[in-house]
Every structure is written in C-alpha cells, then in structure tokens.
Amino acid sequence: MSLSDPRSVSRRTVLKAAAATAAITVAAEHRSAWAQAPTINFTSWSAAVDQVKSHVSAFEKATNLKVNYENFPWAQYRTSVVTRLVGNAPMDVLWVSDAWLPEFAEAGWLATIDDVPELVKYNADAAPFCTQSMLYKGKQYGLAYYGDHMSFVYNTEILAKAGITTPPTTWAEVVEQSLKIKQTGVVEYPMLMALAIDTWLIEFMSAMVFSHGGRFVDAAGSAIMAETGKGVVEAANWIREAIHTHKIVAPGAVETSEITALRALGSGQHAFCIVPTYRLRALNDPSQATAAGKLRPTLMPKGPNATASATCGWIRFYGMTPGAKANATRRANAVKFMEFFGGKDTGGNYTLQKLLLTDVGLPFCTTPLSNDPEVKAFWTRWAGGGDVIAQQAATAVKKDVIAPWFGEWNETANAAWQSIFLNRATPQAAAASMAQKWKELRGS
Amino acid sequence: MLERLGRQFGYDERSAALLVFPVFAVLMVVAVYPIVYSFYTSLFDIVLTRPWRRPFVGFGNYARIFADPQFWTAVQRTTVYTVVTVSITTVMALFVALLLNEAFPGRRLLSALILLPWATPSIVNGLMWKWIYDPGYGLLNGILVQLGWIEKYIVWLGDPDKTLFMIANAAIWKQMPLAAILLLVSMKSISNDLYRAATVDGANVFQRFLHVTLPALKPGLMLVLVYETMISIRHFDLFLIMTQGGPGDASYTLSWQIYVETFRNLKFGIGAALSYVLALATFILSYLFIRGFGSKA
C-alpha cells in the first residue's frame, strides 16, 4: 500500500472514520441510557394534557424524579401502545382502558399490582365498580385514572315547553314524551342518538341493553345476545322503532358521532340524549353550549324487563409494564408515580382526581372525595346536584363483552348495529351475527 | 473475485457504481426489503396481541381471505367505487381538457382555478365533503331545499344506497383536475396540420374529435386510466374520514379491510396478505390498460 494510491488511503480513512463514528454512537447510547435511568416513561392518550403536565411538574418537584411524558390521540392510542410494547420501547406507566385489560394481560404487557401494598391500599377508598374493572382473572392490574358511566340527559326547557313536568323513567315514556314534544312542534327529533361507527357506540348500546335489564353474555361468558328477552334484541328494536316507526330519532343518527351529538345537544335542538357523564360540564358551560344550564341528568329509563335503572360504566387506569416491575429502581419509581397520580400525592391529598373533575369534568373513583365541598359545589353548578349522578354510578355495570377478543368482535358488532338502525336487518338476525362472531372468536 | 471484477470494469465503471450505490442501498432498505418482508409476513399468522405465537401458515392467510364473505363484499364495493370514480373522472377530465384547449379570455385563470381541488389536502377534502353532505346542516341539502328540488333534508352518507357514490363524488372533485391537465398536455402535442387536413376533407367538429383528437390522445388516456385506477382502487383517506366503512358495511372496501385487519384487529399476517392481493389486482389492471392502449398508442 503506497501513498501514491490515493484511493487506498481514502478507503482506509473511510473505514477508520466509520469505526470511530460507530464507537462514538455506542458510547453516546450508553451515556444516554445511563442519563435516562432515573426517568419514568409515562404514556397516555391526549386528554387533560394541561392537568397531567402540571401534575407531572408537581411530581418531579416533590420526588426529584424525571418524567418522560408522551401522549397519542385516542383513536390511534391502542395501536401505538401495542406496537411500542411489542417493540420493547421504554415504557413504565401507561393509561389503559378497561376494554383492553384482558388483551393486554394475556399478552403479558401489564404487571399485576396485588403485591404492591403502596398501591393496593387505595382500594379501600375506591368505588367497588372501579376496583372490579381493574381485575382480570382475580388479579389487579392498576390504579384508577377516572371512572365514568353513561347518563340520560334531558333539556328542561324543551320539556317545559311541551308541558312535561317530570323526565321519563321508562323507555316507553321516552317515546310518549318525544311524540308529545314532536306534536307541539318544539323540535322534530326529540331523542338524539350518536349511532355512527365510533369508539363510543358500544358504550351507548351497552347502556341501552343494561337499562333494558339485559346482558350480552351469561356468567360463563357464552353469548346470549341473540336470545329474545335478554335485552339486546329489545334495546336494538327500541332504537329501530324510534327511527323508523315513531320518527323521534333522526335517520341521520347512523352518521352522528358522539362529538357531533354533543354539539347538537348543546345547541338546544334535542330533548333527550345519552352522554358520558363527564360531558355534563362542557354541556352546561355557557361559553360552549347555548343550552347551558338546561341540560340535566336523570336516571336511565328502564325497559319492560328491567328492575333497576342500570347503565354502562367504564374506567381508565394507570398500569405498570412488567419491564418496569422487574427492575427494582424502575419499579420503585413507577409505584411512586402511580401513587402520586392514581392515589394520594405527597401531601396526602387526592389532588389530581379533584383537579380532573373540576377542570375537565372527569368523575373519580375515590369515594371520600364525594363529600368534599368543592366537589359538591361542582355538581351543583354543572349538573344541578350530584345525587342523581351518585345514584346512577351505583347501578353502573361494566361492559360484559370485555374479553381478549373484544376489539375484533366489536368490529362485527358495529356493522350489525348499523344494519338494524338502517332497517336492513332484523334485530334478531343482526344479534345472531354478533353472537356467531363471539362464539367463533371465543373458540379460536 | 474482487480482483477479477476490478480487471473487468474500468475506473469509470467502478466510480459510477460507487456513486449509484447509496441510492441503490436506500432503495433496497426502504422499498425492496419492506416489499419482500411484507410477503414473508403474509405467510405467518401474526396477531400482535398474541406475541407468544407466530405460526407459519404458508398461503393459509390467502386461503382464509378468499373464503371470507367480507372480502368479497369488499371486492364488490371496491369495484363499484373504482369503476364510477375512474370513468366519471376520465370523461369529465376530457371535457375540461377540450375546453381549456380552446382560446378564450380568462383561460389561464380558469386553468389555475380548476387545479385548486387537486391542491387541496385529502383530509381537508374529506372533511369538507362530510360537512357538505351532513344531514342536519349540510350545504347540499340547504341548496336543494332552497331550489325547491327536495322538501326535507336527505341523509346522504348515512344511506347505504348512496354512500359509495357520494364518496366517489368527493374523490372525482379532487382527482379530475390532474387528469384534465394530463390530457391537456397530450392535446397540445397534436399537430394543427392534422386538424387542418381533416377540415379540408370536410370533417365537422365531432368528426375531428373522433378521428383526430381521440386517437392521438391514447397515450394520455392510458396514463390517466392507469393512474386513476391505481389511486381509486387503493383509496383510503376518504373512507376513514367520511364513513369508517359504514353505514353497516356499505363502504367496506379492500383498503378499509386492510386497515381494519392490520391496525384495529392487529392481524399483521392477514393484513399483509390482503395488501398483496390488492397490489396484485392493481398490477393486473394496469397491465391490461397498458396492453389495451399502449401497443396501439
């Protein structure tokens, strides 16, 4: 090799440079990994971002730990999180929906917290519905972020204009009152329903089914949804008749998403609607809705076979990854984080739970907070009192279709529901297709 | 071997190879490898939520797809959508190109205005048409009621008989301008002598169009048909924004099925197999267009 051959020299130089670059990169990665060691990786969907950020700052200040906070839009959250979990991306704590718990637990992406006394102690203060919703096969997988249920909301002004003094208590009365409102010409479609293929559709339908005294599956997990008298067929039939026979629900309901329905309800164009309870704050905020102050919750109307005004409830919770739990330092930090966010902060208060309610309207799972004067004032201001909400929360039932195959079954169910609403299939036939899919997935 | 290659190729060839290599390497990484890997993926029953299992199923995913009635529903919807979109886009683009090929005051401004929909981002296009079609406050219903053509607001996207056509309309609105410009470019290349000769032979305007313009436009038409078919058959964004495959399964197309299987059901094996089926269908259609038009053109 001689200096007279410039290409040889250049090749060697390139190789040296490449080796040096690789060495620097490896060293930098080690350094970066070392620097990241005390950092807690927290992943959530993009909700209550300001409140979470402020609480992250408070946590960092109180514990001297760093938090790497990432959030993704709700619509892409499950896919984003699953791909990150499969790819072993650094994650310590994440928000989880109760609907994904079986799927995540079966895949080994969530760690149990039964052996973490710092977290389990908060069960004593939590509503039983919330704790139950974080259990899978008898093991607890997290600490509540918030717990909510579907509320039946009515417009006091529209009812008064139609001469109706008390809101409906049964679905038959909803039809009766809606027809009266329609006849008086106050509004064309008194009952508002968000029946678009949307992530909320299963919650709306579950609320309808549970309020008809029904269930999708029996205690053993077998599908009973296609059986007449078990609630699903009756609830679906009520909606079909409301659209096509009574004409109290707009035919465009199949393309009305939850957020569109909220806008329509807030504009004062409808007398009745089913909404997530946390939306009451925005619905009764004069800066966001013209019908503010007139939208009040009442107990979910009952179907002919129902004994109670049941509704659908759900929770979202903080879960810990097995990777975090397996490492002593990461586990300790993740536990501190979960306690600060899902339990009490270092001052011994349920600060975030209260903040999420008062700022965003998200109901909490922490029962002692119900007696807090600020909480009581909140419900009085935004919902005309908290009694109905507390009563309804007590009858909330979690979706009984939550299973490892829930997501895939729900795809079939969404199309089946819509075929009923469009009058393209009978409730029996559509429910049979849902039941068939359930059976198929359960057996696979 | 390197020495043999060194003797076989001169310094210029080796330098050229060295310069081309980075692009070649990038293409291998970003194009060839994913294509090959996705085919490999399609041979496994990969479900992301069951990370502990990854059985090799060979062409089992393909067999499952063809046995699935939902797939044939998707094929039917995709065919209807593609035929409607491509045919109307091409015919409208041809008329617009003919118009823009004529000299008249304001032609340049009109050409620029016609291109505007094409420049609109797909997401904006979908949202805009969703609002226009809204059954409660949509512009389309408003105009039709004011014109007295309908008495009550109509459900457009929520009606399974209308959905595909309403989405196709939104797609045509966006895709037609580019097709028109492509055809216009082809028209501009037709020699005026041909028109003059046809006129001397007594051909009227329709005969000139049929016997001069149309045959000369074959390469342009082929390009438009291939391009529009490739776009329409794989269309996804409008379905995501406007209907999510609904109402019911009225807009459940192949691209929507790929999305549902891959990103909602997280079944990457089936999703990859479906993608290959769609890619193959696109390839066959393009080949047929090129065979049908290309050789004659």
Side-chain angles (χ1 to χ4, degrees):
Chain A
M1 199 81 47
S2 72
L3 287 172
S4 61
D5 185 353
R7 276 170 284 156
S8 310
V9 173
S10 124
R11 200 175 294 143
R12 181 177 286 176
T13 311
V14 167
L15 286 172
K16 275 183 185 171
T21 310
I24 291 165
T25 311
V26 169
E29 271 180 13
H30 271 290
R31 203 175 151 180
S32 134
W34 174 82
Q36 283 174 1
T39 302
I40 299 163
N41 293 295
F42 170 50
T43 311
S44 80
W45 53 86
S46 314
V49 174
D50 291 341
Q51 290 74 17
V52 171
K53 274 186 180 170
S54 84
H55 212 59
V56 163
S57 301
F59 174 76
E60 288 178 332
K61 206 173 164 188
T63 59
N64 283 326
L65 291 167
K66 287 278 163 219
V67 176
N68 176 27
Y69 170 46
E70 277 187 301
N71 61 75
F72 301 100
W74 167 255
Q76 287 89 45
Y77 183 74
R78 176 172 158 264
T79 309
S80 308
V81 161
V82 167
T83 46
R84 288 169 71 82
L85 288 163
V86 170
N88 287 323
M91 290 172 84
D92 296 311
V93 180
L94 66 156
W95 277 356
V96 186
S97 164
D98 56 357
W100 313 324
L101 173 57
E103 184 180 71
F104 279 33
E106 290 285 350
W109 294 328
L110 284 179
T112 58
I113 63 155
D114 295 309
D115 52 350
V116 186
E118 300 97 307
L119 302 180
V120 177
K121 70 182 180 193
Y122 290 102
N123 286 351
D125 279 357
F129 162 75
C130 293
T131 310
Q132 287 294 321
S133 298
M134 291 181 288
L135 296 178
Y136 180 65
K137 291 187 175 171
K139 290 181 175 167
Q140 189 172 339
Y141 283 87
L143 216 52
Y145 149 45
Y146 84 92
D148 202 359
H149 61 266
M150 282 293 172
S151 281
F152 187 82
V153 175
Y154 66 101
N155 184 315
T156 53
E157 189 180 55
I158 293 178
L159 261 64
K161 276 185 187 168
I164 300 165
T165 49
T166 50
T169 56
T170 64
W171 286 109
E173 280 178 28
V174 174
V175 174
E176 225 172 84
Q177 294 192 2
S178 295
L179 289 172
K180 195 175 176 187
I181 292 165
K182 209 173 153 74
Q183 278 159 12
T184 54
V186 184
V187 289
E188 192 179 1
Y189 299 111
M191 179 78 201
L192 174 64
M193 301 201 87
L195 304 176
I197 295 178
D198 182 289
T199 52
W200 284 108
L201 185 57
I202 185 63
E203 270 87 15
F204 289 128
M205 291 315 301
S206 298
M208 289 293 298
V209 171
F210 299 158
S211 68
H212 274 81
R215 290 287 181 276
F216 289 87
V217 297
D218 63 16
S222 301
I224 54 167
M225 54 196 88
E227 294 174 25
T228 308
K230 302 289 185 185
V232 175
V233 171
E234 289 72 22
N237 201 41
W238 188 92
I239 298 175
R240 190 172 70 145
E241 288 188 350
I243 298 171
H244 299 283
T245 310
H246 309 304
K247 300 188 192 307
I248 56 172
V249 173
V254 286
E255 53 175 299
T256 305
S257 64
E258 189 255 356
I259 197 76
T260 311
L262 287 174
R263 287 194 200 108
L265 186 67
S267 68
Q269 295 300 307
H270 301 274
F272 309 114
C273 189
I274 298 172
V275 296
T277 307
Y278 79 86
R279 297 292 198 187
L280 279 169
R281 190 201 181 285
L283 284 171
N284 282 303
D285 182 347
S287 68
Q288 297 184 57
T290 48
K294 296 160 195 161
L295 298 167
R296 292 289 176 253
T298 184
L299 289 179
M300 194 64 75
K302 287 186 282 190
N305 299 329
T307 50
S309 296
T311 189
C312 171
W314 64 92
I315 85 148
R316 314 287 187 235
F317 61 90
Y318 297 89
M320 191 189 336
T321 60
K325 197 179 173 185
N327 176 297
T329 312
R330 281 174 69 191
R331 173 191 159 125
N333 294 343
V335 168
K336 274 184 199 166
F337 183 89
M338 286 172 74
E339 185 174 9
F340 198 87
F341 278 70
K344 290 178 178 173
D345 61 15
T346 44
N349 303 309
Y350 288 113
T351 309
L352 184 61
Q353 290 86 337
K354 198 166 148 181
L355 186 73
L356 288 172
L357 177 78
T358 52
D359 269 22
V360 194
L362 288 175
F364 43 73
C365 285
T366 329
T367 44
L369 266 185
S370 306
N371 298 319
D372 186 293
E374 279 180 62
V375 169
K376 284 186 172 177
F378 171 87
W379 287 122
T380 305
R381 182 176 176 198
W382 302 111
D387 292 347
V388 171
I389 288 163
Q391 222 178 319
Q392 189 70 84
T395 61
V397 181
K398 84 168 185 177
K399 296 182 287 291
D400 55 350
V401 284
I402 291 179
W405 53 87
F406 166 70
E408 196 174 346
W409 174 81
N410 202 30
E411 290 292 335
T412 302
N414 282 342
W417 291 126
Q418 288 214 322
S419 65
I420 302 170
F421 310 147
L422 293 162
N423 225 358
R424 299 282 168 129
T426 61
Q428 288 82 357
S433 75
M434 287 184 219
Q436 176 58 34
K437 187 70 180 178
W438 182 269
K439 203 175 156 188
E440 185 189 310
L441 292 168
R442 196 171 178 230
S444 67
Chain B
M1 187 186 173
L2 280 173
E3 271 181 32
R4 196 161 55 85
L5 281 173
R7 279 198 304 274
Q8 212 168 351
F9 298 103
Y11 177 71
D12 285 350
E13 284 85 355
R14 278 180 284 153
S15 301
L18 197 69
L19 289 170
V20 168
F21 179 74
V23 177
F24 178 74
V26 168
L27 275 176
M28 286 298 286
V29 172
V30 304
V32 178
Y33 174 72
I35 289 170
V36 173
Y37 188 74
S38 64
F39 178 70
Y40 174 75
T41 303
S42 76
L43 305 177
F44 291 84
D45 181 16
I46 300 172
V47 183
L48 279 198
T49 51
R50 295 182 197 175
W52 64 88
R53 58 184 280 288
R54 189 193 158 99
F56 176 77
V57 291
F59 286 95
N61 283 330
Y62 293 89
R64 276 174 67 189
I65 288 168
F66 293 125
D68 180 7
Q70 194 73 59
F71 168 75
W72 295 107
T73 304
V75 168
Q76 190 207 337
R77 308 273 192 264
T78 309
T79 308
V80 171
Y81 175 78
T82 306
V83 168
V84 169
T85 311
V86 174
S87 54
I88 297 179
T89 300
T90 309
V91 171
M92 282 182 69
L94 187 60
F95 283 114
V96 172
L98 284 169
L99 175 73
L100 294 179
N101 200 32
E102 298 298 317
F104 60 88
R107 187 180 61 163
R108 282 169 189 239
L109 179 68
L110 186 66
S111 304
L113 287 176
I114 277 175
L115 267 178
L116 273 181
W118 177 67
T120 309
S122 296
I123 303 289
V124 176
N125 185 38
L127 288 171
M128 182 185 78
W129 281 100
K130 198 177 177 187
W131 277 55
I132 290 172
Y133 293 148
D134 190 277
Y137 52 81
L139 183 73
L140 182 60
N141 275 323
I143 290 172
L144 294 177
V145 165
Q146 282 181 15
L147 288 171
W149 291 0
I150 57 172
E151 283 180 11
K152 288 184 80 174
Y153 276 25
I154 290 175
V155 175
W156 300 106
L157 289 173
D159 182 341
D161 297 330
K162 298 191 188 88
T163 311
L164 269 186
F165 301 100
M166 303 320 283
I167 300 173
N169 180 55
I172 292 162
W173 185 81
K174 181 168 164 56
Q175 287 167 214
M176 190 275 291
L178 182 67
I181 296 300
L182 289 171
L183 291 177
L184 183 62
V185 171
S186 284
M187 266 178 210
K188 293 279 181 200
S189 67
I190 303 171
S191 167
N192 272 333
D193 294 345
L194 290 172
Y195 288 108
R196 275 191 224 112
T199 312
V200 168
D201 288 345
N204 62 27
V205 67
F206 294 108
Q207 286 167 328
R208 286 202 299 272
F209 172 73
L210 272 180
H211 300 294
V212 178
T213 312
L214 219 46
L217 270 185
K218 271 185 182 168
L221 277 171
M222 182 193 73
L223 181 68
V224 167
L225 283 170
V226 170
Y227 176 74
E228 292 300 335
T229 305
M230 286 173 78
I231 294 286
S232 302
I233 206 170
R234 296 178 293 118
H235 226 141
F236 171 71
D237 40 17
L238 289 177
F239 294 91
L240 174 74
I241 295 158
M242 296 172 83
T243 57
Q244 303 253 325
D249 60 4
S251 59
Y252 197 97
T253 56
L254 274 173
S255 56
W256 183 254
Q257 190 176 18
I258 292 171
Y259 170 73
V260 168
E261 291 292 359
T262 312
F263 296 106
R264 288 194 177 172
N265 296 341
L266 300 169
K267 291 181 169 177
F268 276 39
I270 287 273
L274 273 166
S275 302
Y276 260 87
V277 171
L278 184 60
L280 198 66
T282 313
F283 174 78
I284 291 169
L285 280 172
S286 304
Y287 176 76
L288 289 175
F289 279 133
I290 292 167
R291 264 281 315 235
F293 278 86
S295 55
K296 289 170 199 162

